[in-house]
Amino acid sequence: MEVFDKIGEESESDGLSIEADVVIYNTMVDGLCKEGRLEEGLHLMERMRSTKGLAPNTVTYNCLVDGFSKVGDIEIGKELFDQMNEEGVSPNVVSLNALVVGMCRHGRINSAIVFFNDTRGKGPKGNAATYATLITALCDVDNFLRRLICLIKC
């Protein structure tokens, strides 16, 4: 972040400066999210908009949606997904899968199915990974219920 904050400053030796673009911002947002610094990633996206006049794109949002979904902050991930649509940034299958995987990992399989069904026809289509995630989650629930019934009977 220290180096990133120096972007845009003129170099003392040659008087040149480098301006941050969407790719640099996305790289920073992604790194912050992977390090669990999600709030900083959100603030950086806002800084990108407000101070640089750069528009977040699908990659920017996907980093944040994935990060929040992985830690179980599904509501924030869903809000970001909805914000994408409102701002005209098209969610893609990566956006969809990030939320579906997050919901399933955090025991919200019904929410994942409802979300997936709601996006069908008006948003990104699922792929093999989407279906595999949903099938695996449903099988895990079924196996858990079978083990629980077995324990109760024994």
Side-chain angles (χ1 to χ4, degrees):
M1 286 304 296
E2 288 177 33
V3 172
F4 179 75
D5 288 336
K6 291 182 188 265
I7 291 177
E9 294 179 7
E10 262 189 41
S11 168
E12 290 179 17
S13 62
D14 57 16
L16 298 175
S17 71
I18 298 171
E19 288 299 318
D21 60 4
V22 174
V23 174
I24 291 173
Y25 270 95
N26 286 347
T27 302
M28 294 302 297
V29 168
D30 187 46
L32 289 169
C33 289
K34 286 179 178 173
E35 287 297 314
R37 296 164 62 180
L38 300 166
E39 291 299 323
E40 288 177 76
L42 272 177
H43 292 300
L44 192 56
M45 182 175 73
E46 290 309 316
R47 180 173 148 193
M48 174 182 173
R49 265 194 195 113
S50 62
T51 61
K52 297 297 180 182
L54 298 172
N57 61 17
T58 305
V59 174
T60 317
Y61 276 103
N62 284 351
C63 295
L64 291 162
V65 169
D66 184 57
F68 280 103
S69 296
K70 279 182 178 170
V71 298
D73 285 336
I74 306 301
E75 285 72 27
I76 296 174
K78 179 73 171 74
E79 286 172 20
L80 288 163
F81 185 90
D82 293 341
Q83 186 178 340
M84 289 174 79
N85 283 311
E86 291 166 11
E87 293 181 4
V89 178
S90 298
N92 60 18
V93 72
V94 175
S95 322
L96 174 74
N97 286 347
L99 276 167
V100 168
V101 167
M103 289 175 188
C104 290
R105 276 192 188 151
H106 295 281
R108 297 178 57 180
I109 299 162
N110 287 339
S111 296
I113 293 169
V114 168
F115 172 72
F116 177 66
N117 284 332
D118 286 348
T119 61
R120 290 175 67 185
K122 60 181 178 185
K125 295 182 180 3
N127 62 9
T130 316
Y131 287 98
T133 298
L134 291 168
I135 291 167
T136 301
L138 290 167
C139 288
D140 289 346
V141 167
D142 185 50
N143 287 336
F144 173 76
L145 291 174
R146 287 181 186 182
R147 286 188 297 240
L148 182 62
I149 290 168
C150 182
L151 283 172
I152 292 170
K153 286 183 179 179
C154 296

